[in-house]
Amino acid sequence: MLVLFETAAGYAIFKVLDERKLQEVDSLWKEFESPEKANKIVKLKHFEKFQDTTEALAAATALVEGKIGKRLKKVLKKVVAKEAHEELAISDAKLGGVIKDKLSLNCVHSPAVAELMRGIRTQLDGLITGLPPREFTAMSLGLAHSLSRYKLKFSPDKVDTMIVQAISLLDDLDKELNNYIMRCREWYGWHFPELGKIISDNLAYCKSVQRIGDRVNVASTDLSDILPEEVETEVKTAAEISMGTEVSEEDICNILHLCQQVIEISEYRTQLYDYLKNRMMAIAPNLTILVGELVGARLIAHAGSLLNLAKHPASTVQILGAEKALFRALKSKKDTPKYGLIYHASLVGQTTPKNKGKISRMLASKTALAIRYDALGEDTNAEIGAEHRAKLEARLRHLEERGIRRISGTGKALARADKYQYKSEVKTFDPSGDSTLPPVSKKRRFEEVEQEEEGEVVTVEMKVKKIKKEPAVEGKEKPVKQMANKLAFLVASLLGCTNHYYYMCLGLGVPN
């Protein structure tokens, strides 16, 4: 059996002297405890040394990508092809498949081969002759540096770093702009306080201050290209009756310099935002369509890279950025947060507070799929993101309309439309209107009255009315009694006595 061993100095081909030792995998390391024992197991057959670091880098890059370099192909044809019946032990199974297809050599890769490679690596200085250890160390260090620079130069994740730096700088610029503008308004507000109330836009305020300078120059300053006509008129009117203090020329110069800084930073921020938007559409178009450029860039920056973000599940994407609230809720055994950075997405922002949790959960699941498609997919189109956004918008409309369509009676079921029935509008004639007789009630009693008219017995239906019986009055004693009671009350009042017992003694009773 032959062994192909790759080093930083070149390719080494070893011949296995005793193949029976390979069957004892667990005790194979004992055969490489010293260079003498190692020489009894394997023997160097050929060593192809690299000429310089460039050739070593090309060979290492080809091995990393699973390809056969020109130098390796030449060595295999020169040495191994002479003993085609021998098996070739290799450390990489993928490389073995390529060698078998192109050179028709029988390659072997097994745990015993891996243990053999480990033993050769430990006694490499004693097995390879003619190569000083100091030179071998220098070539290993040079190859490591060259390979690292190559991987960093052609890394597919390098654009993620640009996005992370751009969104971090954008947030820093926003903070600095807020501080600068606040300082500018307070500083110039001592001289012209009315201007801050009239002009609300920060950039227009700084441009106006830079154009005006001292408050006295407002009347002769043209602000038509900065402010609307009515606002310009209001500024000039306020300058005439301003209550601000007088400032020196040196103060005005410092204020104008600060305004210039605000204008330059604002222009650079606009340029940086355009750069970030283009980068996001190129690197993660589906993520950008779902959550926007700023939210997508913040998610990537929080995870470290697009590939790291693709490894997160949808539940983690949903609360990414709310770690402190999550751990605080878990510690206090309260409700966990529903959203993190994804809260600032347009889909979550345009829904009602009641449905924000549902939309954020659905948006996080679709976002996780879009991130994996952007990070691991071969295509660069945004069809997946557009399709997912359409589904989320349809779901959002359904959630919003369901609350509007509820009826007030039940509050649980949706309103149902009545079944349509056609009703004719043709009216028929009612003959009952021609009769002048009063209508006869249906509920009545019947009494038969026999009358002889022309020798016939006629039965007449007559209605017997009920007579309401009035309650019986015991003669005319009640009015007399009432008069007697009133008379007794009058007598008692004249005598100045209000005792009911007195009435009783008179025999007239108690008055009503």
Side-chain angles (χ1 to χ4, degrees):
M1 177 184 288
L2 299 177
V3 180
L4 173 62
F5 191 81
E6 305 92 355
T7 66
Y11 294 110
I13 305 294
F14 292 95
K15 172 75 174 179
V16 179
L17 301 178
D18 190 1
E19 296 184 9
R20 291 178 297 177
K21 297 289 185 179
L22 299 179
Q23 298 177 1
E24 302 174 359
V25 180
D26 296 336
S27 60
L28 187 60
W29 61 274
K30 296 180 181 179
E31 305 297 333
F32 291 91
E33 290 180 347
S34 62
E36 292 78 11
K37 289 184 177 181
N39 284 315
K40 295 179 182 180
I41 301 298
V42 293
K43 180 182 178 182
L44 182 63
K45 189 175 181 64
H46 180 74
F47 182 72
E48 189 73 16
K49 187 179 178 180
F50 296 133
Q51 298 296 330
D52 51 9
T53 308
T54 305
E55 189 177 356
L57 178 61
T61 306
L63 289 175
V64 170
E65 296 176 355
K67 299 178 181 179
I68 303 178
K70 295 181 179 181
R71 197 64 177 266
L72 177 60
K73 192 174 183 180
K74 182 180 179 181
V75 171
L76 292 177
K77 285 183 177 181
K78 181 180 179 180
V79 180
V80 183
K82 295 179 180 179
E83 300 179 10
H85 62 281
E86 294 281 354
E87 293 181 342
L88 179 64
I90 56 171
S91 59
D92 189 5
K94 185 178 180 181
L95 179 62
V98 177
I99 293 174
K100 186 176 181 180
D101 293 339
K102 292 189 175 182
L103 301 177
S104 300
L105 296 176
N106 190 14
C107 299
V108 180
H109 176 75
S110 63
V113 173
E115 192 69 24
L116 179 63
M117 294 287 185
R118 189 177 296 110
I120 293 174
R121 189 177 298 110
T122 57
Q123 301 297 335
L124 190 61
D125 296 338
L127 293 174
I128 299 178
T129 59
L131 186 65
R134 186 175 181 179
E135 184 180 353
F136 182 78
T137 304
M139 294 187 71
S140 299
L141 184 61
L143 178 60
H145 288 173
S146 301
L147 187 60
S148 299
R149 283 194 295 268
Y150 173 81
K151 295 294 290 183
L152 183 62
K153 182 178 180 181
F154 294 99
S155 175
D157 300 332
K158 66 181 185 300
V159 188
D160 297 345
T161 307
M162 305 301 170
I163 292 176
V164 172
Q165 297 297 331
I167 189 62
S168 300
L169 179 59
L170 196 67
D171 293 338
D172 294 340
L173 286 178
D174 288 336
K175 293 179 182 178
E176 293 300 323
L177 271 176
N178 289 333
N179 292 332
Y180 281 19
I181 291 169
M182 179 186 66
R183 188 65 56 202
C184 181
R185 282 180 176 272
E186 289 183 359
W187 200 350
Y188 194 72
W190 288 98
H191 179 59
F192 192 2
E194 293 82 6
L195 185 65
K197 298 180 180 179
I198 297 173
I199 305 175
S200 58
D201 184 61
N202 295 324
L203 186 59
Y205 179 85
C206 293
K207 289 182 178 179
S208 301
V209 171
Q210 191 181 29
R211 185 76 61 84
I212 294 171
D214 198 339
R215 185 182 63 216
V216 183
N217 304 327
V218 174
S220 60
T221 304
D222 183 18
L223 302 174
S224 58
D225 57 336
I226 302 174
L227 303 175
E229 184 178 355
E230 60 275 7
V231 179
E232 182 183 3
T233 305
E234 189 176 357
V235 169
K236 292 183 178 181
T237 304
E240 297 176 357
I241 57 173
S242 177
M243 300 179 63
T245 60
E246 297 294 334
V247 294
S248 63
E249 290 292 334
E250 186 178 0
D251 297 332
I252 292 294
C253 290
N254 286 297
I255 294 174
L256 295 181
H257 183 68
L258 178 59
C259 292
Q260 182 64 29
Q261 293 292 324
V262 171
I263 295 172
E264 291 178 358
I265 294 175
S266 300
E267 293 175 354
Y268 175 65
R269 186 199 177 281
T270 304
Q271 179 184 354
L272 183 65
Y273 177 72
D274 295 337
Y275 164 79
L276 179 63
K277 186 189 299 182
N278 296 332
R279 280 292 185 184
M280 284 296 296
M281 285 302 298
I283 302 303
N286 297 286
L287 175 63
T288 305
I289 288 179
L290 277 175
V291 298
E293 300 87 6
L294 295 179
V295 178
R298 287 192 176 96
L299 288 174
I300 294 175
H302 200 83
S305 67
L306 183 63
L307 190 60
N308 290 343
L309 185 61
K311 297 177 182 178
H312 291 324
S315 57
T316 304
V317 174
Q318 181 180 354
I319 61 172
L320 204 63
E323 288 82 5
K324 296 177 72 174
L326 174 65
F327 294 132
R328 185 171 60 247
L330 293 176
K331 186 177 181 180
S332 59
K333 296 182 180 180
K334 294 184 179 180
D335 294 338
T336 55
K338 296 180 181 179
Y339 23 67
L341 292 171
I342 207 170
Y343 177 80
H344 300 285
S346 59
L347 284 173
V348 180
Q350 68 187 10
T351 186
T352 57
K354 181 181 179 182
N355 298 323
K356 283 186 186 295
K358 293 181 180 180
I359 290 298
S360 63
R361 184 178 66 251
M362 291 185 288
L363 179 61
S365 61
K366 298 297 184 184
T367 303
L369 295 176
I371 292 168
R372 292 164 191 168
Y373 187 83
D374 290 333
L376 307 173
E378 297 179 356
D379 299 333
T380 57
N381 53 20
E383 296 179 358
I384 298 295
E387 181 181 355
H388 288 174
R389 187 177 180 88
K391 290 182 180 180
L392 288 173
E393 290 176 349
R395 177 61 177 165
L396 177 59
R397 286 194 300 268
H398 176 71
L399 290 175
E400 297 293 337
E401 291 175 359
R402 188 171 63 178
I404 298 175
R405 283 169 23 183
R406 286 189 181 277
I407 57 177
S408 60
T410 59
K412 296 181 180 180
L414 298 177
R416 297 181 179 179
D418 295 335
K419 186 178 180 181
Y420 176 74
Q421 293 181 353
Y422 176 74
K423 296 180 181 180
S424 177
E425 297 182 357
V426 179
K427 297 181 180 180
T428 58
F429 177 72
D430 186 10
S432 61
D434 295 340
S435 177
T436 58
L437 297 176
V440 181
S441 178
K442 293 182 180 179
K443 295 182 179 180
R444 60 186 179 177
R445 291 185 178 181
F446 297 97
E447 181 180 338
E448 294 184 355
V449 180
E450 295 182 356
Q451 296 181 356
E452 294 182 359
E453 293 182 6
E454 295 178 357
E456 295 181 359
V457 179
V458 180
T459 303
V460 180
E461 298 179 355
M462 297 182 65
K463 183 179 180 181
V464 180
K465 296 183 179 179
K466 288 184 178 181
I467 302 174
K468 294 183 179 180
K469 295 182 179 181
E470 297 180 357
V473 181
E474 299 178 359
K476 296 183 179 180
E477 295 181 357
K478 190 172 182 180
V480 176
K481 189 175 181 179
Q482 291 179 355
M483 291 294 295
N485 288 335
K486 291 181 179 180
L487 182 61
F489 179 74
L490 181 61
V491 173
S493 300
L494 293 174
L495 296 176
C497 179
T498 59
N499 192 355
H500 290 183
Y501 182 73
Y502 180 74
Y503 302 129
M504 297 289 291
C505 293
L506 292 175
L508 299 176
V510 181
N512 293 332

